C-alpha cells in the first residue's frame, strides 16, 4: 500500500525551515569525485533520494561513501574504482537520470562504462542524444544494450569542439566531466551557465581542472592528466527555497527559509515582488511572506539562466490562481510542463492551456503543437480534492494547492517529492500545516 497524505487546507504556513544543498548540483559533484585520486568531502548535502541513488551507484563501482545526515557531510573515497556487475547496475535502471553522467569519469578511470536505462520525471522530451553525441565527439564508442548502454574508450578521450543547439544543463555537465581529463582542448559553445553549473566548475577547478567561461556561453576546458579530491560546500537549493516562497504566498503565510541565497534567486525575487509578495534578505536566509491585500496578475516566461527558472514556474502558478485578474505563463524550457494544471482545475482553478506563444515572443515549441502556454484567471477559491502526484515539481505544487485549499485533500505518490525536498513532511509540521500520513 502506498502512503497517502491527508491535508487539511486553508491555514497559513508560518515558521522557519532550512534548505541545504541543491538537488541539481549535489549528485553531479558526487559523480565528479570519481575523477579524483584522493577522497573528497562534500558539505551541505541534503538527505534526498537522488543522493541515495548516486551513493548506490558509486558503491557498485568500488567507491566508499560515508554520509552524516545530521551535519550533511559526505565523504567519497574513489581510491579503488572498479567495474560494476551488469546485473547490479540493472537494479537501478529507471531510478534516475543521473547515471548518464557517470560516463566521462568511468571512461577516464576504467576505459568503459555501462549505464542503465534512465528514469526521472515525465515533463517533456529530455533525450540522451546530446550525451551520446558528446561522448562520440570525444572519441568514445557507444553501443546500446537491451537494458542500457555500453560505452568504451580504450584509447582515451580526446578534446573536441561541441556546439549545443540549446543550452542544455545535462549536456554541459557531460562535457565538463568528460573534457577535464580528455587529451587537448575542448570548446563547448552554447553552454548552460546556471549557478549549479558554475558550482560544478568550482569543484572541478579545486580538483585541478583548467576551465574558463566566456560571456558568449562558450566554455573552454584544457585537459589535465591528474585530478585530486576536493572539499566543498554545496550552494543552497534555490528551487526548494522558491517553492516555500510560493507556498507562503499561496497560503497567506510567512516563512523564513534558512540557507536561501539572494544572488541565485534575483529573477524569482523580482517576480515574487511583482505578484504582490514581500520578502526580506537576512544574513542567514530569506523571509517570504504575504503582506496582505490582493495579489497582482503577471506575464511570465520561463527561460534558461539568468531567466525565470522552469522549476520555479509550477509553484508560482498555484499562487497566481489567487491573483486578481489574468496571468499569462509561457513555458519555453520543457514542452510538457503544464500537466499538473489538470489537478488544479479540479480543485477550482481556472487555467486554460494554449499551443501558441502567448507572451508574443516565439519559442522553439511555437510550431510544434505543444500546450506550452497557460492563462490563469483569478482569484479562484480552491477546494480539497483527491490528488495523485505526477512529477517532482508538479507534485510539490499540488501539495501547495492542497495546503491553500479549503477542506481536506488526499495526496498520493508523495514519495516522488522526496527526490528533491529533504524532510518535507517535518518541515510542513514546523510550519503549522495540518497534515497526516496514512500508511
Amino acid at each position: 500500500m502506498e502512503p497517502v497524505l491527508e491535508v487539511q487546507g486553508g491555514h497559513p504556513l508560518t515558521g522557519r525551515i532550512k534548505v541545504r544543498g541543491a538537488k541539481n548540483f549535489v549528485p553531479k559533484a558526487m559523480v565528479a569525485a570519481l575523477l579524483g585520486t584522493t577522497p573528497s568531502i562534500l558539505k551541505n548535502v541534503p538527505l534526498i533520494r537522488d543522493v541515495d541513488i548516486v551513493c548506490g551507484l558509486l558503491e557498485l563501482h568500488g567507491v566508499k561513501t560515508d554520509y552524516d545526515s545530521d551535519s550533511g557531510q559526505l565523504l567519497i573515497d574513489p581510491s579503488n574504482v572498479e567495474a560494476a556487475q551488469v546485473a547490479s547496475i540493472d537494479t537501478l535502471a529507471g531510478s534516475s537520470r543521473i547515471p548518464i553522467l557517470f560516463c566521462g569519469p568511468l571512461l577516464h578511470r576504467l576505459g568503459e562504462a555501462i549505464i542503465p536505462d534512465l528514469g526521472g520525471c515525465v515533463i517533456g522530451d529530455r533525450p540522451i542524444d546530446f550525451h551520446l553525441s558528446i561522448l562520440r565527439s570525444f572519441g568514445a564508442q557507444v553501443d546500446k544494450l537491451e537494458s542500457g548502454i555500453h560505452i568504451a574508450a580504450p584509447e582515451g578521450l580526446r578534446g573536441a569542439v561541441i556546439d549545443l543547439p540549446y543550452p542544455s544543463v545535462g549536456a554541459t555537465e557531460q562535457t565538463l566531466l568528460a573534457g577535464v581529463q580528455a587529451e587537448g582542448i575542448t570548446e563547448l559553445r552554447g553552454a548552460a551557465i546556471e549557478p549549479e553549473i558554475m558550482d560544478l566548475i568550482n569543484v572541478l577547478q579545486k580538483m585541478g581542472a583548467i576551465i574558463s567561461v566566456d560571456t558568449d556561453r562558450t566554455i573552454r576546458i584544457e585537459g589535465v592528466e591528474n585530478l585530486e579530491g576536493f572539499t566543498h560546500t554545496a550552494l543552497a537549493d534555490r528551487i526548494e527555497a522558491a517553492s516555500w516562497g510560493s507556498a507562503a504566498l499561496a497560503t497567506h503565510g510567512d516563512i523564513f527559509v534558512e540557507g536561501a541565497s539572494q544572488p541565485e534567486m534575483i529573477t524569482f525575487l523580482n517576480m515574487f515582488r511583482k505578484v504582490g509578495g514581500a520578502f526580506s534578505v537576512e544574513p542567514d536566509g530569506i523571509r517570504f511572506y504575504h503582506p496582505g491585500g490582493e495579489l497582482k496578475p503577471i506575464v511570465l516566461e520561463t527561460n534558461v539562466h539568468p531567466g525565470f527558472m522552469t522549476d520555479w514556474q509550477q509553484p508560482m502558478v498555484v499562487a497566481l490562481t489567487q491573483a486578481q485578474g489574468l496571468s499569462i505563463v509561457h513555458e519555453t524550457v520543457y514542452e510538457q510542463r503544464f500537466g499538473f494544471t489538470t489537478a488544479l482545475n479540479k480543485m477550482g482553478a481556472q487555467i486554460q492551456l494554449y499551443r501558441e506563444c502567448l507572451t508574443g515572443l516565439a519559442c522553439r515549441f511555437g510550431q510544434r503543437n505543444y500546450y506550452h502556454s497557460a492563462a490563469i484567471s483569478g482569484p479562484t477559491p480552491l477546494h480539497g480534492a483527491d490528488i495523485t502526484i505526477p512529477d517532482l515539481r508538479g507534485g510539490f505544487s499540488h501539495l501547495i494547492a492542497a495546503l491553500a485549499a479549503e477542506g481536506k485533500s488526499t495526496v498520493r505518490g508523495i514519495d516522488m517529492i522526496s527526490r528533491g525536498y529533504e524532510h518535507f513532511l517535518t518541515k510542513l509540521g514546523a510550519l503549522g500545516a495540518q497534515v497526516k500520513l496514512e500508511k
Side-chain angles (χ1 to χ4, degrees):
M1 295 290 292
E2 66 172 345
V4 177
L5 187 67
E6 292 187 358
V7 180
Q8 189 67 41
H11 305 283
L13 296 182
T14 60
R16 182 186 183 103
I17 52 97
K18 180 179 181 179
V19 298
R20 292 206 277 199
K23 170 190 175 291
N24 286 357
F25 163 75
V26 167
K28 324 306 175 55
M30 293 169 64
V31 175
L34 259 177
L35 293 162
T37 57
T38 56
S40 292
I41 297 175
L42 186 59
K43 301 178 181 180
N44 203 30
V45 175
L47 184 61
I48 56 176
R49 191 188 309 166
D50 275 12
V51 170
D52 289 338
I53 290 171
V54 178
C55 280
L57 283 166
L58 289 170
E59 290 167 1
L60 287 178
H61 289 90
V63 179
K64 295 181 180 179
T65 64
D66 185 7
Y67 178 53
D68 184 332
S69 59
D70 291 332
S71 67
Q73 179 167 299
L74 175 64
L75 173 67
I76 305 170
D77 185 354
S79 303
N80 299 306
V81 175
E82 61 185 14
Q85 297 293 321
V86 175
S88 298
I89 297 176
D90 284 346
T91 63
L92 293 172
S95 59
S96 171
R97 302 184 69 85
I98 298 296
I100 191 67
L101 295 178
F102 273 70
C103 296
L106 288 176
L107 289 174
H108 288 307
R109 295 299 302 269
L110 302 174
E112 67 172 355
I114 298 176
I115 307 300
D117 288 334
L118 302 181
C121 297
V122 182
I123 56 175
D125 188 23
R126 297 196 287 179
I128 63 170
D129 294 350
F130 277 177
H131 294 270
L132 301 183
S133 176
I134 287 166
L135 292 167
R136 290 188 180 101
S137 297
F138 281 107
Q141 302 169 2
V142 179
D143 296 305
K144 293 187 178 181
L145 307 177
E146 188 172 315
S147 60
I149 304 167
H150 177 262
I151 304 166
E155 298 181 4
L157 300 181
R158 302 180 302 277
V161 176
I162 299 168
D163 282 283
L164 295 183
Y166 184 78
S168 161
V169 168
T172 301
E173 293 164 340
Q174 186 71 260
T175 303
L176 288 168
L177 293 168
V180 286
Q181 285 192 288
E183 181 182 350
I185 295 176
T186 295
E187 183 174 287
L188 176 63
R189 301 166 183 165
I193 54 172
E194 271 67 9
E196 295 80 10
I197 292 287
M198 302 310 294
D199 214 24
L200 180 59
I201 291 175
N202 291 338
V203 162
L204 293 170
Q205 188 179 59
K206 286 182 177 181
M207 299 178 74
I210 300 174
I211 305 170
S212 63
V213 183
D214 293 344
T215 56
D216 63 350
R217 292 184 176 270
T218 297
I219 294 178
R220 290 181 175 83
I221 309 164
E222 297 182 33
V224 297
E225 289 188 9
N226 297 301
L227 295 172
E228 298 181 349
F230 62 84
T231 298
H232 188 78
T233 300
L235 82 169
D237 196 313
R238 60 192 176 122
I239 303 173
E240 182 180 359
S243 297
W244 292 114
S246 293
L249 202 58
T251 66
H252 288 246
D254 188 335
I255 301 176
F256 186 88
V257 182
E258 181 182 344
S261 175
Q262 179 186 16
E264 294 82 31
M265 298 187 68
I266 287 176
T267 307
F268 176 82
L269 294 174
N270 284 337
M271 203 60 67
F272 189 84
R273 179 169 282 161
K274 287 183 178 181
V275 175
F279 64 88
S280 60
V281 179
E282 307 295 338
D284 58 341
I286 301 176
R287 175 193 174 200
F288 298 93
Y289 61 100
H290 192 306
E294 294 180 346
L295 297 183
K296 307 176 185 69
I298 58 172
V299 175
L300 171 63
E301 182 173 75
T302 66
N303 212 330
V304 296
H305 188 77
F308 193 92
M309 201 178 186
T310 180
D311 288 324
W312 291 335
Q313 173 257 111
Q314 292 162 296
M316 180 60 79
V317 164
V318 179
L320 291 177
T321 66
Q322 305 309 303
Q324 183 71 43
L326 181 67
S327 294
I328 301 296
V329 178
H330 180 203
E331 172 63 48
T332 75
V333 179
Y334 290 128
E335 66 273 30
Q336 296 182 37
R337 198 105 215 212
F338 285 120
F340 75 103
T341 61
T342 300
L344 297 186
N345 284 337
K346 182 180 177 182
M347 299 175 75
Q350 293 184 16
I351 303 173
Q352 182 68 44
L353 303 184
Y354 295 88
R355 295 183 176 92
E356 293 78 16
C357 303
L358 291 187
T359 58
L361 300 174
C363 78
R364 61 199 177 114
F365 304 139
Q367 303 300 320
R368 296 175 62 187
N369 211 32
Y370 294 118
Y371 287 100
H372 69 293
S373 291
I376 304 121
S377 300
T380 52
L382 300 179
H383 54 77
D386 293 332
I387 302 167
T388 299
I389 286 174
D391 59 74
L392 174 59
R393 306 303 173 187
F396 197 84
S397 301
H398 288 165
L399 186 57
I400 294 173
L403 292 163
E406 291 295 333
K408 186 176 77 172
S409 296
T410 56
V411 185
R412 292 176 172 80
I414 62 169
D415 285 348
M416 179 72 73
I417 297 177
S418 67
R419 283 191 55 221
Y421 294 87
E422 180 186 41
H423 302 311
F424 74 94
L425 289 177
T426 301
K427 292 175 183 178
L428 287 174
L431 297 173
Q434 297 189 17
V435 298
K436 182 181 179 181
L437 185 62
E438 297 288 346
K439 297 184 177 181

